[in-house]
């Protein structure tokens, strides 16, 4: 059983919802990423989603695009991101880390080399935005051979057939995009999210995380009522951006923000919400 599967099993046993924060590796400086990851875990993060900087982040809105630009300006590459995970693992051997990014940097490194080096560094899985399951056979096989989970996105427009297809190849969890558009956009309709999460869980057995549109403790608590994981990205990255000139303040600031989300999520009685759909 992977670290991700173990973590979700532990959370289900304790009737708690996962908190999954997203940050862009190397933003605003490479030196702050590992301390920030550690601070997020201390604040209650269950899984860390670590963005791999890429020059054309098509699924991301302006906030994360600018974070990617700051990281690329610092020379942060896929190899550098794997080194950050390796350093994180020197102090934390249990918190799952999922890389979020795009196929091009992996193709440049080479599929086999990426799978091997990611596993060796302590990565637990990857969400590759532009790798549809129909076209990813080689990389999927190599990642699974290394014990790496493949996390896939599902959208409000995903059909039942599409959900089933993704369920055949995904592992760890699936990421439901709660609004149409890019990260940081749109209004969160929790009733619609609840209906779609229920539909997804009726078709595939994996935990369902919900992201896009979660901006504060209130929206995090609403999502926790219907999902197995609350995924928060732009709201964190936006705060990092405001502190780019004083990066030493970032771990405490983001830690305090996540602690607020953690408290709000834990106040939700998860035993009678999303788990009832399983």
């Amino acid at each position: 059983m992977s670290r991700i599967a173990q973590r979700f099993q532990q959370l289900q046993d304790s009737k708690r919802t996962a908190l999954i924060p997203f940050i862009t590796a190397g933003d605003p400086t490479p030196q702050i990423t590992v301390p920030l990851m550690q601070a997020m875990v201390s604040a209650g993060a269950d899984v860390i989603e670590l963005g791999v900087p890429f020059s054309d982040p098509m699924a991301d809105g302006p906030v994360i695009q600018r974070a990617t630009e700051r990281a690329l300006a610092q020379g942060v590459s896929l190899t550098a991101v794997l080194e950050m995970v390796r350093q994180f693992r020197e102090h934390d051997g249990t918190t799952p880390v999922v890389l979020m990014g795009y196929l091009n940097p992996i193709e440049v490194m080479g599929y086999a080399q990426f799978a091997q080096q990611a596993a060796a560094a302590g990565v637990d899985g990857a969400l590759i935005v532009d790798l549809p399951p129909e076209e990813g056979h080689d990389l999927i096989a190599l990642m699974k051979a290394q014990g790496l989970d493949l996390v896939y996105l599902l959208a409000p427009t995903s059909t039942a057939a599409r959900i089933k297809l993704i369920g055949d190849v995904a592992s760890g969890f699936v990421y439901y995009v709660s609004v149409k558009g890019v990260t940081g956009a749109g209004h969160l309709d929790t009733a619609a999210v609840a209906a779609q999460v229920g539909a997804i869980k009726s078709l595939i057995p994996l935990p369902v995380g919900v992201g896009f549109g979660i901006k504060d403790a209130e929206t995090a608590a609403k999502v926790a009522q219907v999902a197995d994981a609350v995924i928060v990205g732009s709201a964190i990255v936006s705060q990092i951006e405001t502190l780019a000139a004083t990066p030493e303040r970032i771990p405490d600031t983001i830690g305090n923000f996540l602690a607020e989300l953690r408290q709000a999520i834990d106040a939700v009685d998860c035993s009678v919400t999303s788990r009832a759909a399983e």
Side-chain angles (χ1 to χ4, degrees):
M1 181 182 291
S2 70
R3 258 191 294 245
I4 296 173
Q6 289 176 353
R7 180 54 53 93
F8 275 103
Q9 185 62 59
Q10 293 165 355
L11 289 162
Q12 183 175 354
D13 291 345
S14 59
K15 298 182 173 58
R16 296 174 70 237
T17 299
L19 173 58
I20 305 180
F22 167 91
I23 60 170
T24 298
D27 175 38
T29 68
Q31 294 77 17
I32 205 65
T33 298
V34 173
L36 177 54
M37 293 170 71
Q38 294 168 338
M40 293 192 299
V41 173
S42 296
D46 297 293
V47 179
I48 292 176
E49 189 180 355
L50 191 61
V52 178
F54 178 55
S55 57
D56 188 20
M58 64 189 76
D60 295 304
V63 170
I64 294 178
Q65 287 181 18
R66 291 194 297 270
T68 290
E69 291 169 0
R70 290 190 295 271
L72 289 174
Q74 298 275 337
V76 177
S77 63
L78 176 55
T79 298
V81 175
L82 295 179
E83 178 57 29
M84 293 173 188
V85 177
R86 188 175 292 108
Q87 292 175 16
F88 175 73
R89 283 284 172 243
E90 293 176 0
H91 304 282
D92 188 322
T94 59
T95 303
V97 175
V98 175
L99 299 185
M100 184 276 187
Y102 299 84
L103 188 58
N104 183 268
I106 296 173
E107 289 186 328
V108 171
M109 176 176 284
Y111 288 174
Q113 188 173 358
F114 166 73
Q116 293 166 2
Q117 292 194 13
V123 171
D124 298 287
L127 193 170
I128 306 167
V129 175
D130 51 350
L131 180 69
E134 301 94 333
E135 300 176 12
H137 305 295
D138 293 342
L139 181 54
I140 289 170
L142 288 164
M143 289 182 63
K144 288 186 178 295
Q146 292 291 337
L148 297 170
D149 283 321
L150 278 153
V151 180
Y152 275 89
L153 295 170
L154 291 168
T157 54
S158 296
T159 64
R162 186 68 180 174
I163 293 170
K164 289 180 181 178
L165 175 63
I166 286 175
D168 289 339
V169 295
S171 57
F173 64 98
V174 292
Y175 185 145
Y176 175 62
V177 176
S178 61
V179 298
K180 297 177 182 178
V182 295
T183 56
H187 172 72
L188 186 64
D189 183 342
T190 51
V193 170
Q196 191 65 11
V197 168
I200 293 169
K201 293 178 75 67
S202 72
L203 295 170
I204 60 177
L206 294 173
V208 179
V210 173
F212 289 44
I214 301 168
K215 303 180 184 302
D216 51 29
E218 180 182 0
T219 51
K222 289 179 178 178
V223 169
Q225 294 174 8
V226 300
D228 298 297
V230 175
I231 305 171
V232 187
S234 293
I236 294 172
V237 177
S238 180
Q239 293 187 48
I240 292 173
E241 183 172 39
T242 65
L243 297 171
T246 54
E248 68 278 1
R249 296 173 55 196
I250 290 173
D252 284 346
T253 300
I254 300 305
N256 290 336
F257 176 63
L258 289 183
E260 293 176 4
L261 301 189
R262 178 81 267 170
Q263 184 176 9
I265 291 168
D266 287 345
V268 175
D269 183 1
C270 297
S271 65
V272 294
T273 55
S274 64
R275 306 305 185 271
E278 296 180 351

Short mmCIF file of all heavy atoms in Angstrom, two decimals, residues 103-152:
data_model
loop_
_atom_site.label_atom_id
_atom_site.label_comp_id
_atom_site.label_asym_id
_atom_site.label_seq_id
_atom_site.Cartn_x
_atom_site.Cartn_y
_atom_site.Cartn_z
N LEU A 103 3.75 17.53 -18.84
CA LEU A 103 4.51 16.41 -19.39
C LEU A 103 5.88 16.82 -19.92
O LEU A 103 6.82 16.03 -19.85
CB LEU A 103 3.69 15.74 -20.49
CG LEU A 103 4.23 14.43 -21.07
CD1 LEU A 103 4.40 13.37 -19.98
CD2 LEU A 103 3.31 13.92 -22.18
N ASN A 104 6.01 18.02 -20.45
CA ASN A 104 7.24 18.40 -21.14
C ASN A 104 8.51 18.20 -20.31
O ASN A 104 9.48 17.60 -20.80
CB ASN A 104 7.14 19.84 -21.64
CG ASN A 104 8.36 20.26 -22.44
OD1 ASN A 104 9.29 20.81 -21.89
ND2 ASN A 104 8.34 19.98 -23.74
N PRO A 105 8.58 18.69 -19.06
CA PRO A 105 9.81 18.46 -18.29
C PRO A 105 10.11 16.98 -18.06
O PRO A 105 11.29 16.59 -17.99
CB PRO A 105 9.52 19.17 -16.95
CG PRO A 105 8.47 20.19 -17.28
CD PRO A 105 7.62 19.54 -18.32
N ILE A 106 9.08 16.16 -17.97
CA ILE A 106 9.28 14.72 -17.79
C ILE A 106 9.82 14.11 -19.08
O ILE A 106 10.72 13.25 -19.05
CB ILE A 106 7.97 14.04 -17.37
CG1 ILE A 106 7.54 14.57 -16.00
CG2 ILE A 106 8.13 12.52 -17.32
CD1 ILE A 106 6.16 14.09 -15.56
N GLU A 107 9.31 14.56 -20.22
CA GLU A 107 9.82 14.05 -21.50
C GLU A 107 11.29 14.43 -21.68
O GLU A 107 12.08 13.64 -22.20
CB GLU A 107 8.98 14.60 -22.65
CG GLU A 107 7.58 14.00 -22.73
CD GLU A 107 6.83 14.47 -23.95
OE1 GLU A 107 7.05 15.62 -24.38
OE2 GLU A 107 6.01 13.69 -24.47
N VAL A 108 11.64 15.64 -21.26
CA VAL A 108 13.04 16.07 -21.38
C VAL A 108 13.94 15.19 -20.52
O VAL A 108 15.03 14.79 -20.95
CB VAL A 108 13.18 17.55 -20.97
CG1 VAL A 108 14.65 17.95 -20.87
CG2 VAL A 108 12.45 18.45 -21.97
N MET A 109 13.50 14.87 -19.31
CA MET A 109 14.29 14.01 -18.43
C MET A 109 14.30 12.57 -18.93
O MET A 109 15.31 11.87 -18.80
CB MET A 109 13.73 14.06 -17.01
CG MET A 109 14.44 13.13 -16.03
SD MET A 109 13.84 13.29 -14.33
CE MET A 109 14.64 14.83 -13.85
N GLY A 110 13.20 12.13 -19.49
CA GLY A 110 13.04 10.74 -19.90
C GLY A 110 12.11 10.02 -18.95
O GLY A 110 12.25 10.15 -17.73
N TYR A 111 11.16 9.28 -19.49
CA TYR A 111 10.14 8.65 -18.66
C TYR A 111 10.73 7.72 -17.59
O TYR A 111 10.39 7.80 -16.42
CB TYR A 111 9.16 7.85 -19.53
CG TYR A 111 8.23 8.67 -20.37
CD1 TYR A 111 7.38 8.06 -21.29
CD2 TYR A 111 8.17 10.06 -20.25
CE1 TYR A 111 6.51 8.80 -22.07
CE2 TYR A 111 7.31 10.81 -21.03
CZ TYR A 111 6.47 10.17 -21.93
OH TYR A 111 5.61 10.91 -22.71
N ALA A 112 11.61 6.83 -18.02
CA ALA A 112 12.18 5.86 -17.09
C ALA A 112 13.01 6.55 -16.02
O ALA A 112 12.92 6.21 -14.83
CB ALA A 112 13.02 4.82 -17.84
N GLN A 113 13.80 7.52 -16.43
CA GLN A 113 14.64 8.23 -15.47
C GLN A 113 13.78 9.00 -14.48
O GLN A 113 14.07 9.03 -13.27
CB GLN A 113 15.59 9.18 -16.21
CG GLN A 113 16.63 9.84 -15.29
CD GLN A 113 17.66 10.64 -16.07
OE1 GLN A 113 17.62 10.68 -17.29
NE2 GLN A 113 18.57 11.27 -15.37
N PHE A 114 12.71 9.63 -14.97
CA PHE A 114 11.82 10.36 -14.06
C PHE A 114 11.21 9.42 -13.03
O PHE A 114 11.23 9.71 -11.83
CB PHE A 114 10.70 11.05 -14.83
CG PHE A 114 9.59 11.53 -13.94
CD1 PHE A 114 9.77 12.64 -13.11
CD2 PHE A 114 8.37 10.86 -13.90
CE1 PHE A 114 8.76 13.07 -12.26
CE2 PHE A 114 7.35 11.29 -13.07
CZ PHE A 114 7.54 12.40 -12.24
N ALA A 115 10.67 8.31 -13.48
CA ALA A 115 10.02 7.38 -12.55
C ALA A 115 11.01 6.87 -11.51
O ALA A 115 10.71 6.82 -10.31
CB ALA A 115 9.40 6.22 -13.32
N GLN A 116 12.21 6.52 -11.95
CA GLN A 116 13.22 6.01 -11.03
C GLN A 116 13.67 7.09 -10.04
O GLN A 116 13.75 6.85 -8.83
CB GLN A 116 14.41 5.48 -11.82
CG GLN A 116 14.11 4.24 -12.65
CD GLN A 116 15.20 3.94 -13.67
OE1 GLN A 116 16.21 4.62 -13.74
NE2 GLN A 116 14.98 2.90 -14.47
N GLN A 117 13.97 8.27 -10.55
CA GLN A 117 14.48 9.33 -9.68
C GLN A 117 13.41 9.86 -8.74
O GLN A 117 13.70 10.22 -7.59
CB GLN A 117 15.07 10.46 -10.52
CG GLN A 117 16.33 10.06 -11.26
CD GLN A 117 17.09 11.26 -11.81
OE1 GLN A 117 16.82 12.41 -11.47
NE2 GLN A 117 18.06 10.99 -12.68
N ALA A 118 12.17 9.93 -9.21
CA ALA A 118 11.09 10.40 -8.35
C ALA A 118 10.89 9.43 -7.19
O ALA A 118 10.78 9.85 -6.02
CB ALA A 118 9.79 10.55 -9.14
N ALA A 119 10.86 8.15 -7.48
CA ALA A 119 10.71 7.16 -6.42
C ALA A 119 11.89 7.21 -5.45
O ALA A 119 11.71 7.14 -4.23
CB ALA A 119 10.56 5.77 -7.02
N ALA A 120 13.10 7.33 -5.99
CA ALA A 120 14.29 7.38 -5.13
C ALA A 120 14.30 8.61 -4.24
O ALA A 120 14.79 8.57 -3.11
CB ALA A 120 15.54 7.35 -6.00
N ALA A 121 13.74 9.72 -4.73
CA ALA A 121 13.72 10.95 -3.95
C ALA A 121 12.68 10.93 -2.84
O ALA A 121 12.77 11.71 -1.89
CB ALA A 121 13.47 12.14 -4.87
N GLY A 122 11.69 10.05 -2.97
CA GLY A 122 10.63 9.98 -1.97
C GLY A 122 9.31 10.55 -2.42
O GLY A 122 8.41 10.77 -1.61
N VAL A 123 9.17 10.78 -3.73
CA VAL A 123 7.89 11.20 -4.29
C VAL A 123 6.91 10.03 -4.21
O VAL A 123 7.30 8.87 -4.38
CB VAL A 123 8.06 11.67 -5.75
CG1 VAL A 123 6.72 11.91 -6.42
CG2 VAL A 123 8.92 12.92 -5.80
N ASP A 124 5.64 10.33 -3.98
CA ASP A 124 4.63 9.27 -3.86
C ASP A 124 3.71 9.18 -5.06
O ASP A 124 3.08 8.15 -5.28
CB ASP A 124 3.79 9.51 -2.60
CG ASP A 124 4.64 9.45 -1.36
OD1 ASP A 124 5.06 8.34 -0.98
OD2 ASP A 124 4.92 10.51 -0.76
N GLY A 125 3.61 10.24 -5.83
CA GLY A 125 2.73 10.21 -6.98
C GLY A 125 2.87 11.48 -7.79
O GLY A 125 3.62 12.39 -7.42
N ALA A 126 2.14 11.53 -8.89
CA ALA A 126 2.19 12.71 -9.75
C ALA A 126 0.85 12.95 -10.40
O ALA A 126 0.12 12.01 -10.73
CB ALA A 126 3.27 12.54 -10.83
N LEU A 127 0.53 14.22 -10.55
CA LEU A 127 -0.63 14.67 -11.32
C LEU A 127 -0.06 15.41 -12.52
O LEU A 127 0.49 16.49 -12.38
CB LEU A 127 -1.51 15.59 -10.48
CG LEU A 127 -2.91 15.91 -10.99
CD1 LEU A 127 -3.71 16.63 -9.90
CD2 LEU A 127 -2.91 16.77 -12.25
N ILE A 128 -0.18 14.79 -13.68
CA ILE A 128 0.37 15.36 -14.90
C ILE A 128 -0.80 15.85 -15.73
O ILE A 128 -1.54 15.07 -16.33
CB ILE A 128 1.22 14.32 -15.66
CG1 ILE A 128 2.30 13.74 -14.72
CG2 ILE A 128 1.86 14.94 -16.90
CD1 ILE A 128 2.97 12.50 -15.26
N VAL A 129 -0.97 17.16 -15.74
CA VAL A 129 -2.19 17.77 -16.26
C VAL A 129 -2.47 17.37 -17.70
O VAL A 129 -3.62 17.06 -18.06
CB VAL A 129 -2.11 19.30 -16.14
CG1 VAL A 129 -3.32 19.96 -16.78
CG2 VAL A 129 -1.98 19.71 -14.68
N ASP A 130 -1.45 17.36 -18.55
CA ASP A 130 -1.65 17.15 -19.98
C ASP A 130 -1.26 15.74 -20.42
O ASP A 130 -0.82 15.54 -21.55
CB ASP A 130 -0.89 18.20 -20.79
CG ASP A 130 0.58 18.31 -20.40
OD1 ASP A 130 0.97 17.72 -19.37
OD2 ASP A 130 1.34 19.00 -21.11
N LEU A 131 -1.49 14.77 -19.55
CA LEU A 131 -1.25 13.37 -19.90
C LEU A 131 -2.57 12.60 -19.82
O LEU A 131 -2.91 12.05 -18.78
CB LEU A 131 -0.22 12.73 -18.96
CG LEU A 131 0.10 11.26 -19.25
CD1 LEU A 131 0.87 11.12 -20.56
CD2 LEU A 131 0.91 10.65 -18.10
N PRO A 132 -3.35 12.57 -20.91
CA PRO A 132 -4.60 11.80 -20.88
C PRO A 132 -4.32 10.32 -20.77
O PRO A 132 -3.29 9.83 -21.27
CB PRO A 132 -5.25 12.15 -22.23
CG PRO A 132 -4.13 12.58 -23.11
CD PRO A 132 -3.11 13.21 -22.22
N PRO A 133 -5.21 9.58 -20.13
CA PRO A 133 -4.95 8.15 -19.93
C PRO A 133 -4.80 7.38 -21.23
O PRO A 133 -4.11 6.36 -21.28
CB PRO A 133 -6.16 7.68 -19.11
CG PRO A 133 -7.20 8.72 -19.30
CD PRO A 133 -6.46 10.01 -19.51
N GLU A 134 -5.45 7.86 -22.29
CA GLU A 134 -5.37 7.15 -23.57
C GLU A 134 -3.97 7.22 -24.17
O GLU A 134 -3.61 6.37 -25.00
CB GLU A 134 -6.35 7.76 -24.60
CG GLU A 134 -7.79 7.72 -24.16
CD GLU A 134 -8.23 9.01 -23.46
OE1 GLU A 134 -7.36 9.69 -22.86
OE2 GLU A 134 -9.43 9.33 -23.51
N GLU A 135 -3.17 8.21 -23.78
CA GLU A 135 -1.87 8.43 -24.41
C GLU A 135 -0.69 8.20 -23.46
O GLU A 135 0.45 8.39 -23.84
CB GLU A 135 -1.80 9.86 -24.95
CG GLU A 135 -2.86 10.17 -25.98
CD GLU A 135 -2.84 11.61 -26.42
OE1 GLU A 135 -1.86 12.31 -26.11
OE2 GLU A 135 -3.80 12.05 -27.08
N GLY A 136 -0.98 7.78 -22.24
CA GLY A 136 0.08 7.71 -21.25
C GLY A 136 0.57 6.33 -20.90
O GLY A 136 1.18 6.15 -19.84
N HIS A 137 0.34 5.36 -21.78
CA HIS A 137 0.61 3.96 -21.41
C HIS A 137 2.04 3.73 -20.95
O HIS A 137 2.28 3.06 -19.93
CB HIS A 137 0.28 3.04 -22.60
CG HIS A 137 -1.12 3.19 -23.11
ND1 HIS A 137 -2.21 2.86 -22.37
CD2 HIS A 137 -1.58 3.67 -24.29
CE1 HIS A 137 -3.31 3.10 -23.06
NE2 HIS A 137 -2.96 3.60 -24.23
N ASP A 138 3.02 4.26 -21.67
CA ASP A 138 4.42 4.00 -21.32
C ASP A 138 4.77 4.59 -19.97
O ASP A 138 5.36 3.92 -19.11
CB ASP A 138 5.35 4.56 -22.39
CG ASP A 138 5.23 3.83 -23.72
OD1 ASP A 138 4.69 2.70 -23.72
OD2 ASP A 138 5.65 4.39 -24.75
N LEU A 139 4.43 5.86 -19.76
CA LEU A 139 4.76 6.51 -18.50
C LEU A 139 3.95 5.91 -17.36
O LEU A 139 4.48 5.71 -16.25
CB LEU A 139 4.51 8.01 -18.59
CG LEU A 139 4.83 8.83 -17.34
CD1 LEU A 139 6.25 8.59 -16.87
CD2 LEU A 139 4.60 10.32 -17.60
N ILE A 140 2.70 5.60 -17.61
CA ILE A 140 1.86 4.98 -16.56
C ILE A 140 2.49 3.68 -16.10
O ILE A 140 2.60 3.41 -14.89
CB ILE A 140 0.43 4.75 -17.10
CG1 ILE A 140 -0.30 6.09 -17.26
CG2 ILE A 140 -0.35 3.83 -16.16
CD1 ILE A 140 -1.62 5.99 -18.02
N ALA A 141 2.92 2.85 -17.03
CA ALA A 141 3.52 1.56 -16.67
C ALA A 141 4.80 1.75 -15.87
O ALA A 141 5.04 1.04 -14.88
CB ALA A 141 3.79 0.74 -17.93
N LEU A 142 5.63 2.70 -16.28
CA LEU A 142 6.90 2.93 -15.59
C LEU A 142 6.66 3.47 -14.18
O LEU A 142 7.36 3.07 -13.22
CB LEU A 142 7.75 3.91 -16.39
CG LEU A 142 8.36 3.35 -17.68
CD1 LEU A 142 8.85 4.49 -18.58
CD2 LEU A 142 9.51 2.39 -17.35
N MET A 143 5.68 4.36 -14.02
CA MET A 143 5.40 4.90 -12.70
C MET A 143 4.84 3.83 -11.77
O MET A 143 5.22 3.73 -10.61
CB MET A 143 4.45 6.09 -12.82
CG MET A 143 5.10 7.32 -13.42
SD MET A 143 3.99 8.75 -13.51
CE MET A 143 3.67 9.03 -11.76
N LYS A 144 3.93 3.05 -12.29
CA LYS A 144 3.34 1.99 -11.46
C LYS A 144 4.40 0.97 -11.05
O LYS A 144 4.37 0.44 -9.94
CB LYS A 144 2.17 1.33 -12.19
CG LYS A 144 0.94 2.21 -12.29
CD LYS A 144 -0.24 1.47 -12.88
CE LYS A 144 -1.47 2.36 -12.91
NZ LYS A 144 -1.95 2.73 -11.57
N ALA A 145 5.36 0.72 -11.94
CA ALA A 145 6.43 -0.22 -11.62
C ALA A 145 7.30 0.30 -10.47
O ALA A 145 7.89 -0.50 -9.73
CB ALA A 145 7.29 -0.47 -12.85
N GLN A 146 7.36 1.60 -10.31
CA GLN A 146 8.13 2.22 -9.23
C GLN A 146 7.27 2.48 -7.99
O GLN A 146 7.76 3.08 -7.02
CB GLN A 146 8.75 3.53 -9.71
CG GLN A 146 9.82 3.36 -10.77
CD GLN A 146 11.09 2.73 -10.23
OE1 GLN A 146 11.37 2.77 -9.04
NE2 GLN A 146 11.87 2.10 -11.11
N GLY A 147 6.01 2.06 -8.02
CA GLY A 147 5.14 2.25 -6.87
C GLY A 147 4.60 3.67 -6.73
O GLY A 147 4.16 4.06 -5.63
N LEU A 148 4.63 4.42 -7.82
CA LEU A 148 4.15 5.80 -7.79
C LEU A 148 2.67 5.86 -8.19
O LEU A 148 2.27 5.23 -9.17
CB LEU A 148 4.96 6.66 -8.77
CG LEU A 148 6.45 6.80 -8.45
CD1 LEU A 148 7.17 7.47 -9.62
CD2 LEU A 148 6.67 7.61 -7.18
N ASP A 149 1.90 6.62 -7.45
CA ASP A 149 0.49 6.78 -7.77
C ASP A 149 0.31 7.82 -8.87
O ASP A 149 1.08 8.78 -8.99
CB ASP A 149 -0.29 7.25 -6.53
CG ASP A 149 -0.56 6.11 -5.55
OD1 ASP A 149 -0.85 4.99 -6.01
OD2 ASP A 149 -0.48 6.35 -4.34
N LEU A 150 -0.73 7.62 -9.66
CA LEU A 150 -1.10 8.56 -10.71
C LEU A 150 -2.42 9.21 -10.34
O LEU A 150 -3.44 8.54 -10.24
CB LEU A 150 -1.23 7.83 -12.05
CG LEU A 150 0.09 7.60 -12.79
CD1 LEU A 150 -0.01 6.37 -13.68
CD2 LEU A 150 0.41 8.82 -13.62
N VAL A 151 -2.37 10.50 -10.10
CA VAL A 151 -3.57 11.26 -9.73
C VAL A 151 -4.10 11.94 -10.98
O VAL A 151 -3.33 12.55 -11.74
CB VAL A 151 -3.23 12.31 -8.65
CG1 VAL A 151 -4.47 13.11 -8.27
CG2 VAL A 151 -2.64 11.62 -7.42
N TYR A 152 -5.40 11.84 -11.21
CA TYR A 152 -6.00 12.43 -12.39
C TYR A 152 -7.04 13.47 -12.01
O TYR A 152 -7.68 13.38 -10.96
CB TYR A 152 -6.65 11.36 -13.27
CG TYR A 152 -5.68 10.70 -14.22
CD1 TYR A 152 -4.95 9.58 -13.83
CD2 TYR A 152 -5.48 11.20 -15.51
CE1 TYR A 152 -4.04 8.98 -14.71
CE2 TYR A 152 -4.58 10.61 -16.38
CZ TYR A 152 -3.87 9.50 -15.98
OH TYR A 152 -2.97 8.92 -16.83
#
